[in-house]
């Protein structure tokens, strides 16, 4: 028995040595991970006072700071401007720290009313008196886009609005209206593409311009989006040019915050095959279950690797499907109203 023990002893020592070595290795590795993690969790607090909260929201999210908003009303200051921050700029803090920001409410808070289906005169009257707390305030109309009536649509009637109804916002946000114009008899010698005043579409929401072109059966190409100088141009048409082949539309676009329920989305895709392509938009109105379908591109000829672009207004859940006439479904985008 003693001889067997003496034979086993060298092996047990070797096993013990290896075991201790592995233990030391894992402990060291663990400490390295802990130190690195601790270092990575440190972030430098930026200076955000005087900036609009919308502009710094994504940056604060990237720094993993837990933002808590407090409000103060100073009418002479810009709405949304940050008045104070709880963590001094330049201070190194751990990711996940709570940051309290005081944001100015320079406007009255309102809920966007639903004016779809109303005649323009009635819609203007509704927007003149929108309830904010215990008082009525006016909402400013940013623009009115007239489109030909289709089917039994009545003239001078609101068929779409941006922002959509139900959005919680402030009285300084502009509302854009899409309105039918009276049906008129077309002359037999009238051109398929009527002369258009290219300047009247600049500053109009891109989805409204697309709606107009679809109703006129005018092919269009959406150019690459450009960053606007001012945020209130976000989603609006920057240029419009009518050519023999169709319309070329420029757009202002800023990458929206993922927490916004309503905002514009810019989508781009290079098609795989030569084909005639159509695009179908499916969405539900906020608070409703009824699904609405709308075609925003119709049998448009695209070549292989040619980019096709869309700028849509997301209000609730949205699905956009690009379909080739011969090749079938090419691309599907699914966008959620909330993230």
């Amino acid at each position: 028995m003693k001889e067997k023990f003496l034979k086993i002893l060298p092996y047990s020592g070797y096993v013990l040595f290896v075991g201790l070595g592995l233990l030391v290795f894992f402990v060291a590795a663990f400490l390295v991970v802990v130190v690195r993690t601790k270092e990575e969790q440190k972030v430098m607090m930026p200076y955000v006072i005087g900036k609009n909260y919308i502009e710094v929201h994504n940056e604060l999210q990237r720094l993993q700071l837990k933002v808590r908003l407090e409000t103060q009303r100073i009418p002479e200051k810009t709405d949304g401007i940050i008045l104070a921050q709880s963590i001094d700029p330049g201070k190194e803090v751990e990711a996940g720290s709570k940051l309290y920001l005081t944001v100015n409410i320079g406007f009255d808070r309102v809920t966007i009313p639903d004016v779809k289906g109303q005649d323009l005169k009635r819609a203007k009257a509704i927007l003149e008196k929108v309830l904010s707390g215990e008082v009525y305030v006016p909402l400013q109309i940013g623009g009115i886009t007239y489109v030909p009536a289709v089917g039994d649509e009545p003239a001078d009637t609101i068929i779409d609005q941006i922002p959509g109804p139900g959005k919680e916002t402030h009285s300084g946000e502009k509302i854009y209206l899409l309105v039918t114009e009276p049906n008129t008899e077309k002359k037999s010698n009238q051109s398929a593409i009527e002369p258009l005043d290219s300047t009247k579409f600049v500053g109009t929401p891109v989805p409204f311009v697309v709606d107009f072109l679809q109703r006129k059966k005018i092919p269009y190409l959406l150019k690459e989006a450009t960053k606007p100088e001012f945020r209130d141009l976000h989603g609006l048409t920057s240029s419009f040019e009518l050519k023999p082949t169709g319309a070329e539309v420029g757009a202002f676009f800023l990458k929206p915050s993922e927490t916004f329920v309503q905002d514009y989305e810019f989508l781009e895709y290079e098609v795989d095959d030569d084909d005639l392509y159509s695009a179908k938009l499916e969405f539900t109105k906020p608070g409703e279950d009824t699904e609405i379908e709308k075609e925003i591109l119709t049998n448009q000829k695209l070549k292989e690797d040619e980019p096709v672009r869309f700028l849509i207004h997301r209000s609730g859940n949205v699905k956009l499907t690009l379909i080739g006439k011969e090749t079938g479904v090419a691309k599907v985008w699914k966008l959620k109203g909330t993230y």
Side-chain angles (χ1 to χ4, degrees):
M1 184 70 178
K2 184 177 180 180
E3 289 177 357
K4 288 182 179 180
F5 177 79
L6 291 174
K7 288 180 180 180
I8 294 173
L9 186 60
Y11 293 104
S12 61
Y14 177 78
V15 172
L16 180 62
F17 175 80
V18 172
L20 287 173
L22 290 172
L23 180 62
V24 171
F25 171 79
F26 283 116
V27 170
F30 175 77
L31 291 174
V32 168
V33 171
V34 169
V35 171
R36 285 185 176 179
T37 303
K38 189 173 182 181
E39 289 177 353
E40 290 175 354
Q41 286 182 340
K42 291 289 186 179
V43 296
M44 190 73 72
M45 180 63 209
Y47 183 77
V48 297
I49 295 176
K51 296 182 179 179
N52 195 295
Y53 174 68
I54 292 175
E55 297 174 357
V56 302
H57 171 82
N58 288 344
E59 175 65 13
L60 298 177
Q61 290 286 318
R62 186 185 67 80
L63 295 175
Q64 301 179 44
L65 295 170
K66 295 180 179 179
V67 180
R68 301 291 183 267
L69 297 181
E70 299 174 343
T71 58
Q72 185 175 344
R73 180 175 169 80
I74 305 179
E76 60 270 21
K77 287 186 177 289
T78 304
D79 187 72
I81 289 293
I82 298 172
L83 303 173
Q85 60 186 89
S86 63
I87 301 176
D88 294 331
K91 184 177 180 179
E92 194 176 54
V93 296
E94 291 186 4
S97 297
K98 286 185 179 180
L99 170 64
Y100 291 89
L101 298 178
T102 303
V103 179
N104 185 49
I105 300 179
F107 297 100
D108 298 289
R109 312 313 291 182
V110 296
T111 301
I112 297 292
D114 188 355
V115 294
K116 293 180 185 179
Q118 301 287 344
D119 64 78
L120 183 57
K121 184 178 180 180
R122 173 61 180 160
K124 286 181 176 180
I126 292 172
L127 296 176
E128 277 294 320
K129 292 184 178 181
V130 179
L131 189 63
S132 175
E134 297 180 353
V135 298
Y136 288 95
V137 297
L139 277 180
Q140 182 181 354
I141 296 177
I144 299 172
T145 304
Y146 287 94
V147 294
V150 174
D152 58 354
E153 289 178 337
D156 295 316
T157 300
I158 314 299
I159 55 175
D160 203 357
Q161 65 179 78
I162 295 178
K167 181 181 180 181
E168 300 291 337
T169 184
H170 56 79
S171 60
E173 182 165 5
K174 296 177 181 178
I175 184 168
Y176 293 85
L177 303 175
L178 189 66
V179 185
T180 55
E181 59 187 17
N183 286 316
T184 56
E185 292 295 329
K186 293 186 178 181
K187 298 178 182 179
S188 58
N189 61 349
Q190 189 175 18
S191 171
I193 298 180
E194 299 175 359
L196 297 176
D197 179 8
S198 61
T199 60
K200 76 175 185 177
F201 293 113
V202 175
T204 298
V206 173
F208 287 0
V209 176
V210 170
D211 195 293
F212 176 89
L213 295 172
Q214 282 289 104
R215 288 168 180 256
K216 288 284 189 178
K217 294 180 171 54
I218 301 175
Y220 70 91
L221 171 67
L222 186 63
K223 299 190 290 187
E224 291 187 12
T226 57
K227 185 178 180 180
E229 184 178 358
F230 304 104
R231 183 173 176 83
D232 59 359
L233 296 175
H234 171 58
L236 303 186
T237 302
S238 60
S239 64
F240 182 92
E241 185 177 2
L242 190 62
K243 297 183 175 182
T245 55
E248 287 191 1
V249 183
F252 287 122
F253 181 75
L254 288 170
K255 186 176 181 180
S257 164
E258 291 184 344
T259 60
F260 292 163
V261 175
Q262 294 198 29
D263 212 329
Y264 293 94
E265 297 281 354
F266 186 81
L267 308 172
E268 185 173 10
Y269 179 72
E270 292 184 358
V271 298
D272 296 326
D273 305 283
D274 294 1
D275 204 346
L276 295 174
Y277 288 89
S278 299
K280 181 177 65 175
L281 192 64
E282 301 172 73
F283 58 94
T284 54
K285 293 181 180 180
E288 298 183 12
D289 297 327
T290 305
E291 190 174 84
I292 300 172
E293 293 186 2
K294 185 178 184 179
E295 197 165 66
I296 61 173
L297 190 74
T298 305
N299 289 334
Q300 194 152 313
K301 187 177 181 180
L302 298 172
K303 295 182 179 180
E304 181 181 355
D305 296 331
E306 183 178 352
V308 59
R309 304 181 184 95
F310 304 98
L311 196 152
I312 64 173
H313 186 258
R314 168 172 52 78
S315 178
N317 296 335
V318 174
K319 178 182 176 183
L320 178 62
T321 307
L322 180 66
I323 306 170
K325 187 174 182 179
E326 301 294 334
T327 54
V329 175
K331 176 69 175 177
V332 177
W333 292 270
K334 291 183 179 180
L335 307 170
K336 294 183 178 179
T338 54
Y339 291 77

